[in-house]
Amino acid sequence: MLRWAGLRDQRALRFCPPPSREISDAETTSTLLLSLSVALGARLAPSERTMADQQGSITVPDFSSLLQMDPYLKPFEQDLKRRHEHLQKLLLQLEETEGGFDQFTRSYRSFGVQRQPDNSLFFKEWAPGAEALFLTGDFNDWNKFSNPYAKKEFGKWELILPPKHDGSPAVDHNSKLKVVVHTNDGQRIYRISPWAKYVAREEKTVIYDWVHWDPPPPYIHIHPRPKKPTSLRIYEAHVGIASPEPKVASYSNFTTNVLPRIKDLGYNCIQLMAIMEHVYYACFGYQITSYFAASSRYGTPDELKQLIDVAHSMGIVVLLDVVHSHASKNTEDGLNRFDGTDSCFFHSPPRGEHSLWDSRLFNYSSWEVLRFLLSNLRWWMEEYRFDGFRFDGVTSMLYHHHGIGTGFSGDYNEYFGLHVDEDSLVYLMLANHILHTLYPDCITIAEDVSGMPALCRGVQEGGLGFDYRLAMAIPDKWIQILKELKDEDWNMGDIAFTLTNRRYGEKCIAYAESHDQALVGDKTLAFWLMDKEMYTNMSTLIPMSPIIDRGIQLHKMIRLLTHGLGGEGYLNFIGNEFGHPEWLDFPREGNNQSYHYARRQFNLLDTDHLRYCQLYAFDRDMNRAEDEYGWLAAPPAFVSAKHEGDKVIVFDRANVLFIFNFHPNRSFQDYRVGVEAAGKYKIKLDSDEVQYGGHGRLDHNTDFFTEPHPFNGRSNSMLWFRRNVH
């Protein structure tokens, strides 16, 4: 039977199967996936939650199911209620003062610059600490005083520019603008509007310019959004590195050359990094300067819209890597000191500064900051038609200590109390509530290392409302194993524990490696496994060396084990599906502005006599097998074997049996494995197939029949075996 036991762990209410019996037979350094050849039935449908009605009120909270699911939360029921009441209060205030969150989150239609029906231009900013505001730019020959803003209530400033004599707008498309801010201490500073929809810099300059973007005609999306996938298979990608050429690649390159690969690989979701404009390319897109501007270094806004439109035509949803946890400290082309004060959008120092990231921290209790951030989410959903968000740095948002110097032990007191920043926590609840109300198929993913309980439960039941959380312990475990352990010392129980150790009822995105593991100073899994031999011994024209053989086999096994056991979604970082070598390093002073490591070498994949295409083929067929059987959408797996001597892991999920042999030098015959569903099994996916760089030791014509012999906690069992190789 299955049973769930609550452990005081920072990441999970751990899944605990009955103890395994000793087993003694297996298959060497390969994986076997057997599919039951009977009707599988309908997959589990995603849970339907009534988040709110369109007027903004949410249903009466019911914490009973959450408290029953996780009894450790019972002492903190009042904390959950207080958070929920804070959310309710905000929604009521939005209704009373702004006409509801629908209108409030469309503030991008009134702030910044807006073209009116008569071609007049309306400008609006929030600069509460400013003494005066002026608009300057190409349109008035950079006159600093000819176009003043009028001061309004609550720190707002407005300006109307009538059309030219010919009826055209006073500011031409693609012309430059600046806000001139006169500060209370007598300074005159030049700023980019926080609501700027496009910023760019000229070659050989450092500072970005506000460029008025109003193209005739605007881009019209053709294809509807795809439905939310039942099984989420994410391709994490960075547009700028998505080419083998040593340069910043473009949106158009991604659309033409990368989207077809993603579709072929079987991924149904793309997570785009570094889209929100960031001045410093090497920051990987995590030091945002302009929140409403798609990065101009890859091309125009219309080219990004086309990328998303084409992805939608392929049935692929697209998520934005959104950074609302902090902002760049840049002043001339960022939000920092926009009105001349050290606060405005941020808390005043020291609360408003992140000591490790050297960045500014938002004041989530500010009404206008809520307007800015929530409208920012709405902008990307409406204007570009993204399908959801991966929220970066959630741990930093949730706690006043930002996770700095804090090791989360799993004690639930760590998730409640004065060290929790409830303003930012409730902001996340509000953002998720609004997004899921307006866009029922919206997907939100949280990057949180603390293991905050109920992060991925609905707000109406006391949660924060995310759909998924990243299973960040899994890649750390794989890197630790490859760095520290010999093959014979791999611990099957420890691996299985890490992959299954997650909160019951909260969906996780599992991954063996993401961009974090590829950054300079670390290496991709492929490079950890094969290192310098990837430069010389990846050719199919020569026999595989022992290092390449081991590396290729383990690369496939690690991925499939993570895919099948680790979560309710799966993520891969661009290029790693085919074993991309080396690391990722952006051009910077420390490497003489080199693009050598800031590119994905798809040319390796396209060279037929190199083994990279074998890893690609396995990744493709792994995703296609999941698409057919739907294990990510199924309940968590039952792990029936974690045999330390044989180095074997066996589990079944979604009527699919997974068998892994990690033993470095032993192959087994007539190996008995437990399985729940009775019937005939066929080999569906075999990492040892020759086309995947394996040795072809399994006979795929074999039928495997179960026997009514209970084994290792399963109702049935069967023998599987390998073909003799001479």
Side-chain angles (χ1 to χ4, degrees):
M1 61 178 289
L2 297 179
R3 59 189 175 94
W4 295 95
L7 299 184
R8 301 179 74 82
D9 182 88
Q10 70 269 30
R11 306 219 193 260
L13 295 178
R14 183 196 166 202
F15 170 58
C16 296
S20 301
R21 286 171 48 190
E22 285 294 307
I23 55 176
S24 58
D25 300 284
E27 161 69 21
T28 186
T29 316
S30 63
T31 27
L32 181 67
L33 191 157
L34 301 179
S35 64
L36 180 63
S37 56
V38 296
L40 296 177
R43 294 198 204 171
L44 297 179
S47 60
E48 297 294 334
R49 297 170 182 166
T50 304
M51 300 292 294
D53 59 31
Q54 289 297 325
Q55 285 68 48
S57 61
I58 64 178
T59 55
V60 177
D62 180 10
F63 302 151
S64 59
S65 61
L66 180 62
L67 298 177
Q68 185 177 6
M69 182 183 300
D70 187 352
Y72 287 115
L73 286 173
K74 183 64 178 175
F76 306 99
E77 184 174 0
Q78 291 304 315
D79 296 81
L80 297 173
K81 288 181 177 179
R82 185 183 63 255
R83 295 172 180 179
H84 197 277
E85 288 168 358
H86 188 172
L87 173 65
Q88 288 277 29
K89 182 180 177 181
L90 281 175
L91 288 169
L92 182 60
Q93 289 176 326
L94 284 170
E95 189 67 31
E96 292 176 344
T97 62
E98 302 281 349
F101 62 69
D102 184 34
Q103 186 70 20
F104 186 66
T105 57
R106 292 183 186 271
S107 294
Y108 59 82
R109 293 183 174 180
S110 56
F111 281 76
V113 54
Q114 310 294 328
R115 179 159 56 88
Q116 305 300 308
D118 65 350
N119 274 346
S120 62
L121 296 176
F122 175 72
F123 293 81
K124 186 175 183 178
E125 300 294 347
W126 176 63
E131 184 69 26
L133 255 64
F134 298 85
L135 184 71
T136 188
D138 292 332
F139 78 99
N140 67 359
D141 295 324
W142 296 95
N143 187 299
K144 303 178 184 65
F145 307 108
S146 61
N147 296 99
Y149 285 74
K151 188 173 185 178
K152 303 295 181 180
E153 290 183 309
F154 310 116
K156 312 287 177 56
W157 302 81
E158 295 179 0
L159 166 65
I160 297 177
L161 292 182
K164 298 177 184 176
H165 293 300
D166 63 2
S168 62
V171 180
D172 294 332
H173 168 61
N174 251 343
S175 62
K176 296 179 182 177
L177 294 167
K178 283 280 189 181
V179 177
V180 184
V181 180
H182 286 234
T183 68
N184 282 320
D185 59 1
Q187 297 183 64
R188 184 190 306 153
I189 56 179
Y190 296 84
R191 295 290 185 257
I192 291 175
S193 169
W195 302 80
K197 298 176 178 65
Y198 188 61
V199 298
R201 68 176 178 86
E202 296 180 355
E203 193 174 355
K204 296 182 180 179
T205 62
V206 177
I207 302 299
Y208 272 63
D209 296 307
W210 175 16
V211 179
H212 181 55
W213 187 261
D214 188 18
Y219 184 89
I220 304 298
H221 292 268
I222 300 172
H223 303 283
R225 301 179 192 269
K227 291 292 184 182
K228 180 192 296 187
T230 305
S231 295
L232 199 61
R233 301 183 297 274
I234 303 172
Y235 195 86
E236 183 186 33
H238 186 294
V239 169
I241 67 170
S243 164
E245 299 179 55
K247 65 178 185 180
V248 178
S250 67
Y251 294 125
S252 296
N253 166 74
F254 197 94
T255 302
T256 302
N257 298 318
V258 184
L259 283 182
R261 295 185 191 271
I262 297 172
K263 175 65 175 177
D264 179 61
L265 281 163
Y267 291 95
N268 54 25
C269 176
I270 300 169
Q271 181 179 300
L272 283 181
M273 307 177 62
I275 295 297
M276 302 167 76
E277 190 60 271
H278 49 293
V279 170
Y280 185 43
Y281 189 43
C283 80
F284 221 141
Y286 292 119
Q287 292 280 351
I288 306 301
T289 45
S290 291
Y291 279 75
F292 288 81
S295 181
S296 59
R297 57 173 53 84
Y298 317 127
T300 68
D302 284 0
E303 288 167 337
L304 173 57
K305 292 175 184 177
Q306 184 181 38
L307 185 162
I308 296 170
D309 205 12
V310 173
H312 285 171
S313 75
M314 298 177 174
I316 300 172
V317 299
V318 187
L319 307 183
L320 176 69
D321 201 347
V322 70
V323 187
H324 282 184
S325 50
H326 65 128
S328 169
K329 291 182 76 171
N330 284 22
T331 54
E332 288 193 58
D333 46 17
L335 291 180
N336 193 20
R337 302 185 67 87
F338 173 69
D339 65 352
T341 70
D342 63 2
S343 53
C344 195
F345 289 94
F346 311 109
H347 289 291
S348 296
R351 184 178 177 184
E353 293 183 333
H354 197 293
S355 59
L356 288 186
W357 295 345
D358 193 30
S359 55
R360 297 304 311 271
L361 298 173
F362 287 104
N363 179 2
Y364 302 100
S365 64
S366 165
W367 193 256
E368 293 304 319
V369 171
L370 290 179
R371 182 194 306 277
F372 181 79
L373 294 176
L374 292 171
S375 296
N376 186 236
L377 297 174
R378 193 79 187 275
W379 163 258
W380 293 108
M381 292 292 289
E382 291 285 338
E383 184 71 14
Y384 288 91
R385 295 184 66 80
F386 278 94
D387 302 288
F389 303 95
R390 179 261 197 189
F391 281 74
D392 179 70
V394 167
T395 305
S396 176
M397 298 175 70
L398 291 176
Y399 308 96
H400 291 296
H401 53 64
H402 310 300
I404 300 173
T406 303
F408 292 94
S409 68
D411 186 328
Y412 274 42
N413 289 291
E414 296 170 341
Y415 306 125
F416 300 92
L418 296 178
H419 48 277
V420 176
D421 188 339
E422 291 201 352
D423 288 332
S424 57
L425 183 148
V426 174
Y427 163 70
L428 293 171
M429 294 174 68
L430 182 61
N432 276 309
H433 168 67
I434 292 173
L435 286 170
H436 289 98
T437 301
L438 296 172
Y439 313 98
D441 280 343
C442 178
I443 300 166
T444 58
I445 302 171
E447 185 207 32
D448 170 45
V449 299
S450 74
M452 169 68 75
L455 188 75
C456 300
R457 301 301 301 182
V459 295
Q460 82 284 357
E461 58 177 316
L464 273 68
F466 285 97
D467 295 289
Y468 299 88
R469 71 196 313 154
L470 293 175
M472 302 181 72
I474 296 175
D476 292 344
K477 174 57 63 176
W478 287 124
I479 292 295
Q480 179 213 349
I481 288 171
L482 295 180
K483 280 183 178 180
E484 300 176 4
L485 299 180
K486 298 177 182 178
D487 291 356
E488 57 269 26
D489 295 331
W490 286 28
N491 186 302
M492 300 297 101
D494 185 41
I495 292 171
F497 173 84
T498 302
L499 289 166
T500 57
N501 185 25
R502 54 188 184 271
R503 294 193 180 280
Y504 175 56
E506 298 193 42
K507 295 180 181 178
C508 287
I509 302 295
Y511 56 106
E513 55 183 333
S514 69
H515 69 273
D516 285 328
Q517 285 69 45
L519 293 176
V520 63
D522 213 326
K523 304 184 232 182
T524 63
L525 287 184
F527 214 54
W528 276 112
L529 288 164
M530 295 174 276
D531 209 74
K532 62 184 179 181
E533 289 210 16
M534 297 189 77
Y535 300 128
T536 56
N537 291 341
M538 286 293 280
S539 173
T540 60
L541 304 179
I542 60 174
M544 274 196 295
S545 69
I547 289 177
I548 295 297
D549 190 5
R550 169 186 177 271
I552 284 180
Q553 312 319 326
L554 287 177
H555 192 272
K556 293 176 290 187
M557 295 174 68
I558 288 170
R559 281 173 146 62
L560 181 57
L561 182 57
T562 302
H563 205 304
L565 193 58
E568 290 70 40
Y570 177 77
L571 178 143
N572 166 72
F573 180 62
I574 179 171
N576 288 353
E577 70 276 2
F578 64 84
H580 200 283
E582 299 167 333
W583 49 84
L584 184 60
D585 188 16
F586 287 87
R588 53 189 175 85
E589 289 185 10
N591 62 14
N592 296 318
Q593 304 298 329
S594 172
Y595 285 88
H596 180 75
Y597 296 111
R599 60 196 179 106
R600 297 284 92 177
Q601 300 180 59
F602 290 111
N603 54 300
L604 298 175
L605 175 61
D606 296 332
T607 305
D608 292 339
H609 69 271
L610 295 180
R611 297 190 181 278
Y612 297 99
C613 61
Q614 297 172 338
L615 295 176
Y616 176 99
F618 182 79
D619 196 270
R620 176 197 64 208
D621 291 349
M622 174 177 67
N623 283 321
R624 291 180 180 180
E626 197 290 324
D627 190 58
E628 182 177 356
Y629 296 101
W631 57 74
L632 289 172
F638 184 95
V639 182
S640 59
K642 298 169 287 187
H643 197 290
E644 302 301 341
D646 293 342
K647 301 300 179 191
V648 168
I649 295 175
V650 181
F651 62 90
D652 54 282
R653 187 178 185 187
N655 284 335
V656 177
L657 178 65
F658 295 78
I659 306 171
F660 295 81
N661 174 22
F662 283 97
H663 203 289
N665 50 41
R666 289 187 63 192
S667 179
F668 303 92
Q669 294 261 22
D670 299 327
Y671 202 94
R672 183 165 295 277
V673 295
V675 63
E676 190 61 27
K680 180 178 74 173
Y681 285 74
K682 299 280 293 185
I683 297 175
K684 177 62 182 179
L685 185 65
D686 171 17
S687 70
D688 198 42
E689 280 198 78
V690 173
Q691 63 171 319
Y692 306 140
H695 301 283
R697 290 168 288 195
L698 294 175
D699 184 357
H700 285 225
N701 294 318
T702 303
D703 293 331
F704 298 84
F705 293 92
T706 63
E707 301 172 275
H709 301 315
F711 189 72
N712 281 349
R714 307 314 269 154
S715 301
N716 300 281
S717 61
M718 63 183 174
L719 296 175
W720 66 278
F721 48 87
R722 73 176 180 89
R723 182 177 62 214
N724 289 327
V725 179
H726 300 285

